[in-house]
């Protein structure tokens, strides 16, 4: 993951990418969309549309839930957000711009999400792809179990 300082400097870049994407599709970067993007960029980890909506409400913003959903889907379209489903029927979004690809471990007991990046997984993936003559454009690996805290 990129260091904190770099992330802050990049914030404007994300809005710029979204603005260009919207312009190509004849849409505008409205104040409401900017508010959703800024709220999303402030989050860490994996957040639901409802959580962003709630955060905006707490800050006194009157952005509707539908706008939050639409903006997150726009961010996904231009690769600034990645939607993740971890099997509980909820879609969670995480920031994608400037972040290294990673996989997840989910605790079945407390629901905590651990991110990891493994060169081993990358290498195994390479081997399997060669072995099966497969070209991949994305992958998803989620390990389920019980975290250290819950086992204590
Ligand atoms: Zn746990
Ligand atoms: Zn993640």
């Amino acid at each position: 993951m990129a260091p904190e300082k770099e992330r802050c400097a990049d914030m404007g870049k994300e809005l710029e990418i979204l603005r260009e994407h919207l312009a190509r599709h004849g849409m505008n970067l409205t104040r409401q969309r900017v508010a959703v993007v800024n709220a999303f960029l402030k989050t860490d980890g994996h957040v639901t549309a409802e959580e962003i909506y709630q955060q905006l409400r707490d800050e006194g913003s009157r952005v509707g839930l539908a706008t939050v959903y639409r903006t997150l889907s726009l961010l996904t379209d231009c690769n600034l957000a990645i939607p993740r489903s971890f099997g509980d029927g909820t879609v969670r979004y995480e920031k994608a711009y400037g972040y290294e690809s990673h996989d997840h471990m989910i605790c079945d007991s407390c629901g905590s999400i651990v991110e990891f990046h493994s060169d081993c997984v990358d290498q195994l993936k390479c081997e399997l792809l060669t072995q099966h003559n497969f070209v991949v454009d994305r992958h998803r690996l989620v390990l389920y179990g019980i975290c250290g805290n819950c086992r204590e």
Side-chain angles (χ1 to χ4, degrees), residues 46 94 102 104 115:
H46 314 82
E94 69 181 327
H102 59 270
H104 300 90
E115 297 188 332

Side-chain angles (χ1 to χ4, degrees), residues 19 24 30 36 109 118 123 127 150:
R19 190 200 306 278
R24 274 199 304 276
T30 59
V36 176
S109 175
S118 160
Q123 198 185 334
E127 283 172 20
C150 290

Side-chain angles (χ1 to χ4, degrees), residues 89-103:
T90 315
V91 178
R92 293 182 168 76
Y93 292 85
E94 69 181 327
K95 291 177 271 191
Y97 184 76
Y99 282 94
E100 216 188 324
S101 76
H102 59 270
D103 295 301

Side-chain angles (χ1 to χ4, degrees), residues 107-112 145-151:
C107 175
D108 283 329
S109 175
C110 69
S112 66
I146 306 291
C147 76
N149 280 341
C150 290
R151 277 203 322 278

